[in-house]
Amino acid sequence: QVQLVESGGGLVQPGGSLRLSCAASESLSSFYAMAWYSQPPGKERELVAGLLRDGSTNYADSVKGRFTISTDNAKNTMYLEMNSLKPEDTAVYYCYVVVLNYEYWGQGTQVTVSS
């Protein structure tokens, strides 16, 4: 059972930045895939950024050039660097991993972009 704990959410003004963290209970090297999803109010959860074991990444069109997914294997932590934030980025953000064909989700962290 993999435990994922997110942190770093909060209230930020449009144009601002945040860095979300997702601390895993085991080594990231065991994960086949890692990702961040967002769920805006009243909408379905959607993929924001993904990272495969081979290092390849993919991003939602709406965040390309603004968000970056990365990892620190020494800390067993995955990050989502979010820049130039917009009000439409407001959502609960979840980290997600796949290991041995099992899927795990974090509890979510709220990001609110508002002036």
Side-chain angles (χ1 to χ4, degrees), residues 2-104:
V2 176
Q3 306 295 323
L4 302 172
V5 179
E6 296 120 334
S7 60
L11 174 64
V12 62
Q13 292 187 343
S17 299
L18 281 176
R19 188 177 76 161
L20 305 182
S21 300
C22 175
S25 58
E26 61 182 72
S27 173
L28 301 185
S29 62
S30 66
F31 300 161
Y32 172 74
M34 295 173 277
W36 288 94
Y37 282 74
S38 68
Q39 187 165 17
K43 297 184 178 180
E44 294 186 355
R45 198 171 297 186
E46 57 188 14
L47 178 68
V48 174
L51 172 65
L52 295 181
R53 180 181 288 176
D54 64 4
S56 59
T57 59
N58 65 295
Y59 294 91
D61 287 343
S62 61
V63 307
K64 284 181 181 177
R66 299 190 298 123
F67 290 12
T68 304
I69 187 171
S70 64
T71 61
D72 184 334
N73 291 341
K75 297 181 178 180
N76 293 345
T77 301
M78 175 172 64
Y79 301 100
L80 184 67
E81 187 76 35
M82 305 187 294
N83 298 313
S84 302
L85 283 160
K86 305 175 181 180
E88 50 264 43
D89 295 321
T90 295
V92 178
Y93 285 75
Y94 298 88
C95 62
Y96 164 89
V97 301
V98 178
V99 54
L100 298 176
N101 294 324
Y102 289 93
E103 301 178 327
Y104 299 94

